[in-house]
Amino acid sequence: MASPPEVVFSSDVPNMHEWSRRTGIPLVSADAIGVNYARARRWLQSIRNQLVQQHGWRDTRPADDRMLFSIECHPPSSLPRSPVFRLQVPMHASSLFNPDRRVQWEMAFHGAVFPYLRHSVPPIADLLHLLQCLLTGVFLLVKEEHVPGEGTYRTTRGLPPVEWVSTHEAELVRIFGVPQFRALFRAAGDKRTSFKLERVR
């Protein structure tokens, strides 16, 4: 069975510039990113509440005041040797760009949580999609496939499905405003901009 796509976290600014050019979504200033992220905290906290109240997650101890939330749960029985699943979301977006914490965030987002739960636990998908909207180019879904006789291809998805963007229009407009929402909706609906296909070997 083919492995699911992996979430790749990269806070490299050139990568964000590339996805801004690809999608047509303007790359805003660090201050504007912080403002949008602050507007999204209520939604992020709602996602945490759903995971705790409906899906068996619990707060980690001790609490870290740099985190908006830090939660964990036991992995599904289909992954018997997997360590405890953990999710950490920072209080401020700037934390994601701190080079001293880069490894921490790579460990937090490169684990099995998103690949194995995003299709079966809706709040996990909501969290990934919201982060992709807030920080386009930072949270990417990546899958590599070998095609016999041709080589290996890498498919990278930088935006949520357009159906998700449409369903959450009111909340996304509240966070980003109408012009940026329209750019997001347009880019998410075009596979030429929301996906990137590369032959890697």
Side-chain angles (χ1 to χ4, degrees):
M1 184 176 68
S3 59
E6 297 180 346
V7 172
V8 173
F9 167 83
S10 173
S11 56
D12 292 336
V13 173
N15 198 50
M16 297 178 70
H17 275 288
E18 178 190 347
W19 278 92
S20 175
R21 290 191 298 269
R22 173 175 288 276
T23 61
I25 299 171
L27 183 62
V28 298
S29 67
D31 288 343
I33 289 174
V35 169
N36 290 340
Y37 192 88
R39 289 179 183 145
R41 281 191 200 129
R42 184 177 69 186
W43 191 355
L44 291 166
Q45 193 65 52
S46 172
I47 290 170
R48 174 261 173 209
N49 294 343
Q50 291 175 60
L51 289 168
V52 169
Q53 295 167 10
Q54 302 171 25
H55 297 280
W57 290 71
R58 61 182 179 272
D59 291 312
T60 58
R61 296 287 186 267
D64 185 338
D65 59 9
R66 297 174 300 176
M67 300 294 170
L68 181 63
F69 62 81
S70 180
I71 56 178
E72 63 184 15
C73 79
H74 292 295
S77 57
S78 58
L79 296 172
R81 294 187 181 89
S82 178
V84 170
F85 282 177
R86 286 189 173 87
L87 269 179
Q88 292 182 311
V89 173
M91 181 68 70
H92 303 286
S94 58
S95 176
L96 296 167
F97 298 92
N98 184 338
D100 294 334
R101 303 185 70 186
R102 179 181 184 129
V103 172
Q104 174 188 358
W105 295 123
E106 288 176 347
M107 291 176 63
F109 293 112
H110 291 183
V113 173
F114 291 105
Y116 286 98
L117 297 184
R118 68 188 180 91
H119 290 301
S120 58
V121 182
I124 295 292
D126 288 341
L127 177 59
L128 174 60
H129 296 335
L130 177 53
L131 290 172
Q132 286 184 309
C133 293
L134 286 166
L135 298 154
T136 301
V138 174
F139 296 91
L140 303 170
L141 274 173
V142 179
K143 185 176 181 65
E144 290 192 1
E145 296 178 276
H146 179 71
V147 179
E150 293 188 27
T152 301
Y153 291 86
R154 178 186 296 139
T155 303
T156 305
R157 183 170 197 162
L159 291 174
V162 68
E163 296 82 5
W164 185 90
V165 175
S166 179
T167 297
H168 297 89
E169 177 178 356
E171 194 68 8
L172 291 170
V173 167
R174 183 185 70 80
I175 294 169
F176 297 110
V178 172
Q180 188 166 341
F181 171 80
R182 287 176 176 165
L184 176 63
F185 181 82
R186 183 170 55 250
D190 188 340
K191 291 184 177 179
R192 296 170 299 178
T193 56
S194 58
F195 287 83
K196 180 170 69 171
L197 178 65
E198 307 167 275
R199 182 175 176 176
V200 292
R201 56 183 176 273

